[in-house]
């Protein structure tokens, strides 16, 4: 079990999950001697089974070194997903290790070259999905097109949109902008089954404007853009705090405007956006922020639940088949996709804090 | 003369410049038949001379096509810089055309491979310089190191800092983060005369936190980060507007907090940050936002003035020599730099709106 406040915050979070989804079954992976007594005192015990793990992956360890620790809580939880004992995993631990372990142990869905990290962020036009947020520092045009495919499926499941629109992040909206890689990705999307949902290029300010429901970019740019947007919001918040503290009148102003300010803060609450998802794997892998509180962790479990319940990976597989069919011009692949067996869906998840 | 409100807004802006800097001499390039009568009625006439240009570069034209229009106002103004009739140029026209013309006609300073677009943006720790903002979609490690050199000189001139700190934008602050290109750039800076000012890697949120005075990145990431930060600030502003409009009490709150809110708005005023500068050329090239108003345009001229007055390009040349000396381990280059003749500095600028 990892994360800054584990295991206390995780168990508090799972208590909230137990109240919201009494039907869920969770495998809680970590040091049994520590977890079991805490769990016994919590209502989370109604939905949790403990599985012992002998070690924890620290935040300092590199992804490759994490692979060698076969008894770590993260590894034991991910092994449970690979063996189909759990349908997904939620972790608040080391991101690099989670990515490396998930790629090697759970493996990508056939037809998907690389998994991408996606999350939801606020915009004037409602919530938007952004990916990749750092799983792949360098991406080629095919990777970007696959991220669009996965982002579309994610937005339809998590935001409940029937036909999410897709934008490719660039330095300008005109077709000749950017480099070959990004222009080729745009060409692929225009020729794909997603062409009617593909808006074309979007710019940095389009993310918070909500110009499209999905914003696709490489992991370097996405990581920088996400953190830059969060930083700007934080600056705006701290400036506002200064304004309201400046004088007696402004303190009164704060009290008068408080209901609206509280609603605004609630809407922008990072906990509401906690739970970045590693898309494209044979199982649901959700990364909770290491510093998330109980409500934030519970939200990350909600996201994993949503993906399992809405058969997210089935959608990805169908989408990959449609892409393949469009590429080969054959309908054979599409038939195969439609005939694919419905996997039994249960709400089994493994959590490692 | 270009820009959305040219020539009216440009002449209004120059009137403000005339009030602030009566000693400046400006070459106003555009359609003489249109400009001359407008100028005659303005106090800007005291500082301006008109130079006729037969055509204007539209916003739709590509950089390469702009090179063929030899009588465009942008070209005539840039020619004046290349011939040393003006020390710098301020334009609110087509950015791509300005970049292409400046690179080919004015040319880069020896030792600088590519010019970079820099601008100032607000942070919790005071103003910060960010570059490249889009002049170079792809950059190698040497380009990034040169951007650091130019950004440092720009911050010392425009922000008046004796030893500005430098950060390299990355997806994490640890030394192993990012790709080879960015890690090599960091190695170059650690081995350079700027090593004591080099902070290492910074992340997206460090831009608005003001962790370093200068933030260096490639033109793709910089352009996206700049626009994402602006977009987030705009979203915060519009949410705040909704809060204050929600009820009678919140409208009263707005009136009570207004002095502080006005100060906050003033501090974040994009006009105060107008004037992106193309660094690394044999002359000062400033790009005013196409939609800037008179005050914004005047600010862009102020920036150009600052750079001319503080002999910005001399600093770049000295810095290049110090870098060269450190690279070759020879002090010969440094002596040559110290002996370089002081160019006569006058406040002559060409403006094309």
């Amino acid at each position: 079990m990892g994360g800054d406040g584990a295991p206390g915050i995780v168990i508090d979070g799972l208590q909230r999950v137990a109240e919201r989804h009494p039907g869920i079954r969770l495998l809680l992976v970590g040091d049994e001697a520590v977890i079991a007594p805490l769990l016994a005192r919590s209502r989370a015990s109604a939905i949790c089974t403990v599985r012992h793990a002998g070690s924890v992956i620290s935040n300092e360890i590199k992804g490759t070194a994490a692979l060698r620790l076969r008894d770590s809580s993260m590894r034991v939880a991910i092994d449970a997903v690979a063996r189909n004992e759990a349908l997904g995993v939620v972790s608040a631990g080391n991101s690099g290790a989670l990515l490396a372990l998930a790629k090697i142990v759970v493996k990508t869905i056939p037809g998907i070259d690389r998994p991408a990290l996606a999350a939801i962020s606020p915009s004037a036009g409602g919530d938007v999905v952004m990916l990749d947020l750092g799983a792949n520092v360098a991406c080629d045009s095919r990777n970007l097109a696959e991220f669009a495919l996965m982002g579309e499926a994610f937005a339809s499941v998590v935001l409940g949109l029937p036909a999410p629109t897709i934008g490719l992040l660039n330095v300008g909206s005109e077709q000749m902008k950017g480099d070959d890689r990004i222009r080729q990705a745009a060409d692929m999307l225009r020729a794909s089954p997603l062409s009617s949902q593909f808006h074309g290029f979007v710019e940095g300010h389009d993310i918070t404007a909500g110009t499209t429901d999905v914003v696709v970019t490489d992991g370097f740019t996405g990581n920088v853009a996400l953190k830059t947007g969060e930083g700007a919001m934080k600056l705006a918040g701290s400036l506002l705090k200064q304004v309201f503290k400046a004088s007696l009148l402004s303190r009164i102003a704060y009290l008068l405007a408080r209901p609206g300010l509280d609603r605004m803060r609630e809407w922008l609450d990072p906990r509401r956006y906690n739970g970045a998802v590693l898309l494209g794997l044979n199982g649901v892998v959700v990364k909770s922020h290491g510093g998330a509180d109980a409500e934030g962790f519970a939200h990350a479990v909600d996201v994993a639940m949503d993906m399992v319940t809405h058969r997210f990976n089935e959608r990805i597989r169908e989408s990959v088949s449609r892409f393949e069919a469009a590429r080969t011009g054959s309908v054979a692949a599409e038939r195969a996709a439609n005939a694919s067996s419905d996997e039994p869906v249960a709400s089994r998840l493994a959590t490692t804090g």
Side-chain angles (χ1 to χ4, degrees), chain A:
Chain A
M1 205 178 279
D4 305 346
I9 275 175
V10 170
I11 290 175
D12 285 354
L14 296 183
Q15 186 155 318
R16 293 170 195 233
V17 173
E19 285 156 17
R20 292 182 210 160
H21 315 285
I24 195 175
R25 289 297 166 264
L26 298 171
L27 201 57
L28 203 51
V29 186
D31 185 345
E32 193 164 11
V34 176
I35 299 172
L38 279 172
L39 189 63
R41 287 196 298 273
S42 161
R43 265 169 296 156
S45 57
I47 56 165
C48 294
T49 313
V50 178
R51 181 169 291 186
H52 182 71
S55 67
V56 171
I57 291 172
S58 71
N59 271 330
E60 289 66 40
I61 210 168
K62 269 197 165 188
T64 43
L67 288 173
R68 287 191 294 269
L69 268 179
R70 291 188 174 265
D71 68 342
S72 73
S73 56
M74 194 185 278
R75 177 63 183 260
V76 172
I78 284 178
D79 279 343
V81 176
R83 289 196 206 110
N84 206 23
E85 293 165 17
L87 293 169
V89 57
V90 180
S91 169
N94 182 325
S95 311
L98 184 66
L99 173 62
L101 279 171
K103 267 206 282 198
I104 288 178
V105 180
V106 184
K107 295 191 175 66
T108 54
I109 291 172
I112 297 290
D113 188 33
R114 294 198 205 168
L117 199 62
I120 289 167
S121 67
S123 91
D127 290 345
V128 298
V129 166
M130 197 155 101
L131 76 167
D132 174 28
L133 300 176
N136 311 281
V137 168
C139 305
D140 63 19
S141 47
R142 192 192 141 189
N143 296 141
L144 291 171
E146 284 173 4
F147 296 171
L149 175 163
M150 297 193 287
E152 193 267 350
F154 187 62
S156 68
V157 163
V158 179
L159 306 181
L161 300 170
T165 55
I166 303 159
L168 202 51
L169 196 58
N170 199 348
V171 295
S173 54
E174 303 87 350
Q175 284 206 18
M176 83 279 189
K177 290 277 181 177
D179 52 18
D180 285 347
R181 182 189 59 124
I182 202 162
R183 284 190 297 260
Q184 279 164 13
D187 289 344
M188 284 181 196
L189 288 169
R190 275 188 214 101
S192 82
L194 290 175
S195 61
S196 65
Q197 287 157 264
F198 180 53
H199 173 91
F201 294 139
V202 291
E203 301 178 63
H205 50 81
D206 288 306
I207 302 170
T208 45
T211 307
T212 56
D213 303 312
V214 181
V215 176
V216 173
T217 188
D218 64 86
F220 191 91
T221 313
N223 187 285
V224 167
L226 178 83
K227 291 173 180 167
T228 303
E230 284 175 354
M233 280 292 184
K234 199 173 162 190
L235 177 60
S238 75
L239 290 172
L240 203 56
K241 208 172 269 180
Q242 283 174 35
V243 166
F244 285 124
K245 278 188 177 167
S247 69
L248 182 64
L249 284 184
S250 62
R251 279 169 204 264
I252 296 169
Y254 173 69
L255 294 176
L256 294 177
R258 197 162 169 181
L261 290 168
D262 284 348
R263 268 196 307 276
M264 174 176 162
R265 192 181 301 128
E266 212 169 281
W267 189 67
L268 294 172
D269 187 352
R271 295 182 302 179
R272 222 169 61 77
Y273 301 100
N274 187 38
V277 185
L278 209 47
L279 305 179
L281 294 160
N282 291 306
V284 168
V285 180
V286 176
K287 170 71 179 78
S288 171
H289 197 285
D293 65 3
E295 181 52 35
F297 191 81
H299 188 264
V301 178
D302 286 346
V303 170
M305 270 283 287
D306 260 5
M307 295 183 69
V308 166
T309 315
H310 292 94
R311 300 165 175 270
F312 174 75
N313 281 345
E314 269 308 291
R315 287 191 189 224
I316 295 276
R317 287 189 193 99
E318 285 163 17
S319 205
V320 166
S321 297
R322 278 202 308 278
F323 262 65
E324 280 301 322
R327 229 179 342 232
T328 59
S330 134
V331 290
E334 199 149 26
R335 280 204 203 105
N338 292 336
S340 76
S341 68
D342 276 355
E343 282 179 24
V345 169
S347 301
R348 289 174 286 126
L349 294 171
T351 56
T352 84

